[in-house]
Amino acid sequence: MIEELRNYLHPDFNFKTNQGFTEWLLQSNNPKVGPYLGEDRHKHMLVQVENESLQEILDILLREPLADYFWYTYRENGGRLTYSLPQHDVVPSGALRVDKEKMKIFLRDIKIESILQ
């Protein structure tokens, strides 16, 4: 389910098909991302960091379903994941944009699944 989330998140720059989230993460201020993560020999580490980041985004979306952009703060400030709500006017360039319509359906499906379990 967490892997499906990446299909509803889009960077604010041109990216290769199905690589948008990975490219965004590699360019982000995530403190776990370094230049080595883009190398093939560290692919398993990249997958782990991607999954952690997706889980972090999902946790925020479950609390704040209206969150529409995500980004990491500067590393000097801890590189924390930050988000904006629709009423916020300023979003940094390179932020990750949420596909709102698809996200509504995704979050609804998660809630249904959690009720059925």
Side-chain angles (χ1 to χ4, degrees):
M1 179 76 72
I2 194 82
E3 275 297 310
E4 190 179 333
L5 177 60
R6 73 174 54 239
N7 298 325
Y8 313 127
L9 304 168
H10 307 286
D12 273 352
F13 54 80
N14 292 332
F15 57 91
K16 296 176 192 167
T17 305
N18 298 325
Q19 293 297 313
F21 181 77
T22 301
E23 288 184 33
W24 172 80
L25 187 63
L26 289 172
Q27 294 178 28
S28 75
N29 289 321
N30 182 321
K32 295 182 180 179
V33 171
Y36 58 88
L37 270 186
E39 299 174 6
D40 282 341
R41 62 188 174 124
H42 297 291
K43 194 130 185 114
H44 66 283
M45 290 172 59
L46 175 59
V47 169
Q48 180 179 344
V49 173
E50 284 181 334
N51 288 336
E52 289 171 3
S53 184
L54 285 167
Q55 185 62 55
E56 209 174 354
I57 290 169
L58 179 59
D59 291 344
I60 291 170
L61 285 167
L62 290 172
R63 282 191 326 265
E64 293 284 354
L66 296 178
D68 54 358
Y69 285 91
F70 290 90
W71 66 93
Y72 284 94
T73 59
Y74 290 111
R75 290 183 188 206
E76 298 82 36
N77 296 333
R80 293 179 351 124
L81 183 65
T82 306
Y83 63 95
S84 72
L85 296 171
Q87 67 266 25
H88 297 139
D89 293 334
V90 179
V91 174
S93 64
L96 195 60
R97 180 179 47 82
V98 174
D99 184 327
K100 292 180 186 182
E101 293 306 312
K102 290 180 181 177
M103 189 58 68
K104 284 179 191 177
I105 295 166
F106 178 74
L107 292 175
R108 183 201 67 206
D109 291 348
I110 286 179
K111 289 176 184 175
I112 290 170
E113 187 176 309
S114 68
I115 290 170
L116 294 176
Q117 289 181 352

